[in-house]
Amino acid sequence: MNAAVDRKKPRLATTSLAGCFGCHTSLLDIDERLFDLVERVDFDRSPLTDTKQCASCDIGLVEGGLCNAENILVLHEFRRNCKLLVALGACAINGGLPAQRNHLDLGQCLQEVYLTGPGIVGGQIPNDPELPLPLDKVRPIHEVVRVDYFIPGCPPSGDAIWKFLTDLLDGRTPRLGYPLLHFD
Amino acid sequence: MRQPNILFDGLPLPFADGQTIMEAATAAGIFIPHLCHHPDFKPQGSCKLCTVKANGRHVSACTMPAKDGMEVENNSPDLNDKRRTMLQMLFVEGNHFCPSCEKSGNCMLQALAYELEMLTPHFPHFYPDRPVDASHPQVLLDFNRCILCELCVRASRDVDDKNVFALSGRGIRKHLIVNAESGRLADTSFSLGDKAAHVCPVGVIIEKGRGFALPIGRRRYDIQPIGMELERAARCRGSGEAI
Amino acid sequence: MDCDPRSLLETVVTEGCFEAMGLAALLQPVVDRHRRDPRQLLQILRAAQEVLGYLPAVALTAIADAVDLPRARVEGVAGFYSFLHLTPVGRYRVLFSDNITDRMLGSGELLDRLCNKLWIERGKVSEDGLVSVDTTSCTGMGDQGPALLVNGRPMTRMSAERIDWISELIRGQAALDDWPREFFVVDDNIQRRDALLTTRWPAGEALRTALARGRSAMLAEMQRANLRGRGGAGFTTHIKWESARRATTRGERATRYVVCNADEGEPGTFKDRVLLASYADLVFDGMTIAGFTIGAEQGLLYLRGEYAWLLPALDENLVRRRRDGLLGGQICGQADLSFDIEIHVGAGAYVCGEETALLESLEGKRGVPRIRPPFPVHAGYLGQPTVVNNVETLCKAALIALRGGDWFAGLGTKQSTGTKLLSISGDVERPGVYEYPFGVSVSQVLSDCGADNAQAVQVGGPSGACLAMHEFMRRIAFEDVPTAGAFMVFGAQRDMFEVARNFSHFFAHESCGFCTPCRVGTSLVANCMDKIANGHGSQYEINEIFRIHRLLHAASHCGLGQSACNPLLDTLTKFRPAYERRLRSLDFEPAFDLDQALAGARQMTGRDDPAAHFGQPARMPGGER
Ligand SMILES: Cc1cc2nc3c(=O)[nH]c(=O)nc-3n(C[C@H](O)[C@H](O)[C@H](O)COP(=O)(O)O)c2cc1C
Ligand code: SF4
Ligand code: SF4
Ligand code: SF4
Ligand code: FES
């Protein structure tokens, strides 16, 4: 492999925070175009590569919103390392399904789940420092870091993701026109 | 006598006396983004999505009477940017989770967001706490998605003659209420046959038990963008085709 | 009903529940007094609340039935106004005026002090239902603050000693009438008199002169005087009068109306208060002259809820005028001339100063500005031609009747004739009302009122302009610095960011919520300012404020939204360092406090390890904020 050419290949990292991996599945949905993609980018940290730490990257795709402290740490890691940060899918963009807990009080939630819910005897709210603490509300990622691009959809279609990435890689301003732009 | 014209995005557009800018444009098959406007009801002028520039001043197209020689700017980057910002405000003001909303695909707010290429709600969310009202046997009220357009208010008052809906509160705490001491829809005279049951442009007034009858992806604005509907209808009218 | 309402109330209210029969008995005199007229709805709701303490759901139902309106509409009106309460409030309801000038005089600390003394949380009713303490928008006492309202009655010049005393009085459940009288003293504080405030004519003199002149001649005098409205917009008064006179009336109750705008809601403005308190005859003369000139038979004065304490004296005055033949039928003995005046009281909504919102409120509705056109001169109160004028404008009209248009036009500047009352407050030695001929320079005013270290003046209130030192040679006039009358001075020691933040909250609180940009935008902006104040701001917020300003300025439905960001824009351009020294970074900061977002979970799990925190090292156990 030619190292000089290789260095020019943009690096792509992806992660799923408070999401359902649906957006990642959609990324795989670009089918045989995946081969083109692998030709054109190198994957860094991603569930697809199992790399756990993000190195300096060109593009970071973030699926899912923020529901706990760890989500925020990972998001910060992505923001630090990625030149362009992309919110991928509804949950990253407005909190999505997990954010529908936002009208409930976190304390009451925890209490009910671990202490007072049906069938619970002698329960305890886990306090292991290894476990990330939940946030009082689930938040979209743009409320915590600057986000450069957004790909809406639940999940965004493979076509939408492909269009976005190829626009970006070809040096065009990414644009999802109708009908690729979808919120559902 | 010469028919009066407005100059609409540089093109002459005839109008009849008494027509608003919105009515003149609609008659000519030109789409001006709107949410609180509905041709069957008295203009309201509150959502401000239809903001255009008339002779250099920002006005609401749905309430401003057309005047001969008036120069109207509608489809400009600046105005569309303002409209996009207002859509973003509406999205963060309520709780809009389209994937779990029955109205998705048939929703004007969403369709306008597509039309104006709104990719993100941008602002910090208010995440208001707005309990749903499931008391009525036929209809569910999910206030989380209310954009306060008052179409249901106008329909119930002016067409159904029932006054089921009204607004209370003010500022960011303004909200929709129903006509019952209990605050429950079941205790009002509302029924599914009301005009008010069918005017909500978003997913607040939802008929129970219908669910996702038509699958997502095959709905009104999945098939055709909101701005195109009108233009195609006008083209068909012009050429005498069936729509 | 000859039963004492107080004892009846006690039998009707049991543990917060109202017994329906008794309730009807309590409400009947209220609705009857207002002829069960739906247009009197706001007045009925105010009166019902006087009797019941607040407006419980059953009462709204009963009122709706009585005036034959849909219940939801009654609830919608009740829910609009700050001074109407749908949930119980304290028997003593203390509202601190929250204008920046009150704050500069220490109102925030006094509020905390009172809350501590009474063991209550701000904004919550004490458990025994005795007292609640909160803030309200400017009560129009900027010259004698810190001010507050207790059960609607104004108290001025609050101090720590007075607050302690008040707390004792409340705990001792002393009747308001037994509180020290000096607490309730409101002074006029007139510091400079010119053409208007030196007037000492007997009641009706101006009116008689106008009648002697005749309609057309009076209008001609108004034209020569070139009087422009003193309420803010500066519209030429004779054109307004002429249009209303020519406009056609409609329907059976075909008549024209004169409305006096005494809403004086712009924070820092209190000159109309002084005119209503000490020059009421001039105000009523002005209204009657307007009525005579345009052919109106009814006048309405819309008095802001904060000034309800002025009502008894104003009502007495009206009775006197009727007795003296200055109101009612056959005014001044002219058989064909009838005109009367009715006073409506608002209920805590700044937007009702906007003339079309005011008309809606007069009609008993939510105070939402109307679509224009049509303008009030063509279709105003009840759809009839209506002149809406500010209190001071009407006084000036009376003055013109007395002294003639040419005399008036000789005062002030060519484009801004006559004099202007300024309400001066803030960092000055002699706060109060000052009357100047138009054209006076800001620096002249500053030296007259004793402001030697001013760094800024907010002219015209939050929706006006903030002038920095280099602009002090500018002149008060429509063609230079226009103003509705507020003149708030900020000394060098003041933080102009906090001034702007106070104003941003004012607009968010007062937005009527009708149109999208103002309803959401004013709240977004207030949140941005809080974020910056809490040390979490960045350049991003500043850019957001500019962006929202451009939208609000262009797309808002009325003047409130259009000018809501003016004070921020002014301070951002003229006092940028006040913002910048608070910014945490130049790039971006989270929309919320990350560490605080974990507080709930920390409390539930009892954790305080480093991973349970953001941004700062773990604190000592139990060190939760
Ligand atoms: C938000 C808003 C609040 C206003 N408040 C007042 C007020 O308190 N008093 C007043 O006289 N005019 C107020 N105005 C101006 C009125 O709309 C109107 O222009 C004025 O009463 C006309 O009277 P004038 O011509 O005598 O000035 C306000 C306008 C706006 C947009
Ligand atoms: S109402 Fe419209 S925008 Fe809101 S959640 Fe439903 S589909 Fe989405
Ligand atoms: S329920 Fe629907 S129609 Fe009624 S105000 Fe809300 S968005 Fe408009
Ligand atoms: S600008 Fe504000 S106050 Fe005026 S109509 Fe709109 S929401 Fe109401
Ligand atoms: S459509 Fe015109 S303001 Fe809503």
Side-chain angles (χ1 to χ4, degrees), chain A residues 24-35:
Chain A
H24 275 83
T25 313
S26 227
L27 176 60
L28 298 177
D29 252 358
I30 61 177
D31 299 330
E32 71 285 352
R33 288 170 294 187
L34 256 182
F35 296 110

Side-chain angles (χ1 to χ4, degrees), chain C residues 229-231 240 261 263-265 350 353-355 388-390 393 559:
Chain C
R230 302 307 201 231
K240 201 183 259 190
N261 187 343
D263 197 53
E264 192 156 68
Y350 162 66
E354 196 281 337
E355 57 185 8
V388 182
N389 273 138
N390 173 256
T393 313

Side-chain angles (χ1 to χ4, degrees), chain A residues 5-132:
Chain A
V5 175
D6 205 33
R7 205 173 306 128
K8 275 199 205 119
K9 257 168 91 172
R11 290 186 74 78
L12 175 74
T14 76
T15 188
S16 177
L17 306 175
C20 68
F21 278 96
C23 298
H24 275 83
T25 313
S26 227
L27 176 60
L28 298 177
D29 252 358
I30 61 177
D31 299 330
E32 71 285 352
R33 288 170 294 187
L34 256 182
F35 296 110
D36 298 338
L37 186 60
V38 178
E39 277 291 293
R40 304 191 58 182
V41 302
D42 281 333
F43 274 90
D44 193 275
R45 171 177 171 156
S46 168
L48 309 178
T49 59
D50 224 19
T51 310
K52 295 281 189 263
Q53 208 64 43
C54 192
S56 182
C57 282
D58 297 282
I59 307 169
L61 299 181
V62 179
E63 168 193 323
L66 307 163
C67 82
N68 63 31
E70 190 201 3
N71 292 156
I72 290 187
L73 293 176
V74 174
L75 180 64
H76 277 148
E77 178 191 328
F78 264 67
R79 181 66 278 184
R80 263 198 314 279
N81 289 300
C82 301
K83 285 203 193 93
L84 293 177
L85 196 68
V86 184
L88 179 64
C91 299
I93 289 174
N94 73 355
L97 202 70
Q100 293 186 47
R101 80 146 151 95
N102 281 352
H103 63 276
L104 304 172
D105 178 68
L106 177 68
Q108 272 166 13
C109 272
L110 290 174
Q111 201 148 22
E112 191 162 328
V113 172
Y114 293 107
L115 302 179
T116 60
I120 296 171
V121 205
Q124 199 205 337
I125 298 177
N127 59 1
D128 185 343
E130 291 293 301
L131 291 175

Side-chain angles (χ1 to χ4, degrees), chain C residues 10-193:
Chain C
E10 268 154 33
T11 61
V12 173
V13 196
T14 41
E15 292 171 16
C17 287
F18 285 81
E19 187 261 306
M21 290 298 290
L23 185 76
L26 279 172
L27 288 177
Q28 199 186 352
V30 170
V31 290
D32 286 347
R33 194 161 67 238
H34 294 280
R35 308 178 298 275
R36 298 181 174 249
D37 183 352
R39 284 176 303 232
Q40 297 280 331
L41 179 59
L42 177 55
Q43 308 307 308
I44 292 174
L45 290 170
R46 281 190 60 98
Q49 182 170 275
E50 290 262 306
V51 178
L52 303 174
Y54 76 106
L55 296 168
V58 278
L60 296 180
T61 311
I63 292 171
D65 287 344
V67 298
D68 198 19
L69 280 176
R71 186 192 183 282
R73 219 175 298 162
V74 173
E75 185 182 343
V77 171
F80 185 86
Y81 297 92
S82 297
F83 290 174
L84 297 180
H85 308 282
L86 303 182
T87 49
V89 290
R91 267 179 287 140
Y92 293 89
R93 198 161 46 81
V94 181
L95 291 173
F96 280 82
S97 175
D98 198 28
N99 189 26
I100 184 70
T101 52
D102 293 285
R103 288 218 187 164
M104 282 159 30
L105 293 167
S107 67
E109 294 75 24
L110 294 177
L111 184 149
D112 291 341
R113 188 180 182 102
L114 185 59
C115 286
N116 287 340
K117 291 254 163 199
L118 293 168
W119 289 90
I120 54 171
E121 207 178 316
R122 175 186 157 179
K124 302 234 167 83
V125 184
S126 61
E127 267 174 33
D128 55 1
L130 179 68
V131 56
S132 55
V133 176
D134 209 340
T135 56
T136 187
S137 298
C138 180
T139 59
M141 301 285 172
D143 53 336
Q144 43 205 305
L148 57 79
L149 294 171
V150 54
N151 294 358
R153 290 168 61 169
M155 304 183 75
T156 54
R157 297 183 192 83
M158 284 299 120
S159 61
E161 297 75 56
R162 284 190 171 191
I163 287 295
D164 293 352
W165 197 346
I166 289 173
S167 123
E168 291 305 316
L169 290 164
I170 291 176
R171 279 201 292 203
Q173 310 202 16
L176 281 188
D177 287 334
D178 299 335
W179 290 24
R181 297 280 292 275
E182 67 263 30
F183 286 8
F184 298 98
V185 169
V186 177
D187 287 325
D188 277 353
N189 277 335
I190 296 175
Q191 306 281 2
R192 187 180 193 282
R193 293 171 197 268

Side-chain angles (χ1 to χ4, degrees), chain B residues 169-171, chain C residues 80-82 137 261 263-267 302 304 306 346-362 365-370 372 506-515 518 557-562:
Chain B
R170 79 173 189 225
Chain C
F80 185 86
Y81 297 92
S82 297
S137 298
N261 187 343
D263 197 53
E264 192 156 68
E266 192 73 39
Y302 188 88
R304 70 187 304 227
E306 291 82 347
Y350 162 66
V351 70
C352 289
E354 196 281 337
E355 57 185 8
T356 60
L358 185 148
L359 293 171
E360 289 286 294
S361 187
L362 278 176
K365 303 183 192 149
R366 291 165 58 82
V368 173
R370 293 177 179 172
R372 290 175 301 176
F506 166 75
F507 286 114
H509 181 255
E510 296 295 344
S511 164
C512 84
F514 174 71
C515 66
C518 171
H557 182 68
C558 85
L560 190 153
Q562 285 157 14

